[in-house]
Amino acid sequence: LVEPGRTVACERGARSVDRRDAVPASAPRADLHRRAHEVCDQRCMLLTYESRHVGDITVVTCRGSFADGQELAALQRYADDLLGETAHIVADLGAVEFIDSCGVGSLVRLHSKARRAGGDLKLCGLPTRVAEVLRLTHLLSIFGTYATQAEAIAACYEAAPSLQSLVTVETDVLC
């Protein structure tokens, strides 16, 4: 943890040190250990998720680090199961603090699977860092991105004729 480019390890994984994490070589050993744990706490934040249904749309709210690991694999399995119930998924990434190439790949796979199932994946609440990664990889344009869950849900209903019939109320007038 002395200089950028070194690797920091803790019980949750290893992360590369960048400029803002560097500690001078003259720092006491206790400071090095403390800073190593701070870096891991920031960068190794576990991915958690919860979901709710809005009609035929499932909204999945993710928190933490959208990166390679057991949590991402569990989310992928969960999303695969969701596609058996509904093909329309809104992923709220507003509380995602980090995304790596595995996280990006997971979003692309989910998007493709949802499309093949006749649905779509909409993203909402993108933090600046996540949006920048998707922009730099030229993937931002393939996802429908929205500021809020409500906007993403509305876009699902606008784009899917089968879902529009769920919100249309037909009444018969009896005289």
Side-chain angles (χ1 to χ4, degrees), residues 19 30 43 46 48-49 51-52 58 60 79 98 103 111-112 135 137-138 145 148 156 160-161 171 175:
R19 284 192 321 259
R43 299 247 183 98
L46 299 177
T48 61
Y49 54 91
S51 65
R52 66 185 177 93
T58 301
V60 180
F98 176 78
H111 180 266
S112 297
R135 186 190 68 76
T137 56
H138 303 285
T145 58
T148 66
C156 287
T171 59
C175 298

Side-chain angles (χ1 to χ4, degrees), residues 15 42-49 60-69 71-73 75-76 79 91-110 121 123 130 133-134 143:
R15 294 292 183 258
Q42 292 168 2
R43 299 247 183 98
C44 300
M45 185 175 177
L46 299 177
L47 174 65
T48 61
Y49 54 91
V60 180
T61 303
C62 300
R63 289 178 184 78
S65 183
F66 215 81
D68 189 23
E71 296 83 18
L72 185 61
L75 176 60
Q76 288 175 319
D92 185 341
L93 304 180
V96 170
E97 297 178 2
F98 176 78
I99 189 167
D100 70 1
S101 59
C102 292
V104 172
S106 178
L107 290 174
V108 170
R109 278 188 299 281
L110 180 56
L121 170 66
L123 306 179
V130 173
V133 167
L134 294 176
F143 296 107

Side-chain angles (χ1 to χ4, degrees), residues 1-143:
L1 185 65
V2 175
E3 60 191 40
R6 298 278 175 105
T7 300
V8 173
C10 73
E11 60 277 359
R12 288 179 280 166
R15 294 292 183 258
S16 178
V17 176
D18 62 24
R19 284 192 321 259
R20 67 178 182 266
D21 300 323
V23 175
S26 60
R29 189 163 177 80
D31 287 350
L32 295 174
H33 286 288
R34 181 186 49 76
R35 187 63 185 137
H37 286 289
E38 288 173 2
V39 169
C40 282
D41 286 345
Q42 292 168 2
R43 299 247 183 98
C44 300
M45 185 175 177
L46 299 177
L47 174 65
T48 61
Y49 54 91
E50 57 188 33
S51 65
R52 66 185 177 93
H53 294 279
V54 179
D56 279 356
I57 299 167
T58 301
V59 178
V60 180
T61 303
C62 300
R63 289 178 184 78
S65 183
F66 215 81
D68 189 23
Q70 294 175 349
E71 296 83 18
L72 185 61
L75 176 60
Q76 288 175 319
R77 287 189 301 275
Y78 178 71
D80 287 343
D81 291 344
L82 279 178
L83 288 171
E85 300 171 22
T86 178
H88 298 277
I89 298 175
V90 170
D92 185 341
L93 304 180
V96 170
E97 297 178 2
F98 176 78
I99 189 167
D100 70 1
S101 59
C102 292
V104 172
S106 178
L107 290 174
V108 170
R109 278 188 299 281
L110 180 56
H111 180 266
S112 297
K113 288 178 180 180
R115 287 284 178 101
R116 280 194 304 269
D120 203 358
L121 170 66
K122 308 285 187 192
L123 306 179
C124 67
L126 295 180
T128 304
R129 285 182 175 182
V130 173
E132 184 65 8
V133 167
L134 294 176
R135 186 190 68 76
L136 289 171
T137 56
H138 303 285
L139 294 171
L140 191 59
S141 62
I142 72 160
F143 296 107

Side-chain angles (χ1 to χ4, degrees), residues 53-58 85-88 153 156-158 160-170:
H53 294 279
V54 179
D56 279 356
I57 299 167
T58 301
E85 300 171 22
T86 178
H88 298 277
I153 292 166
C156 287
Y157 281 107
E158 290 169 4
S162 63
L163 292 178
Q164 288 175 354
S165 64
L166 295 174
V167 295
T168 303
V169 178
E170 296 181 0

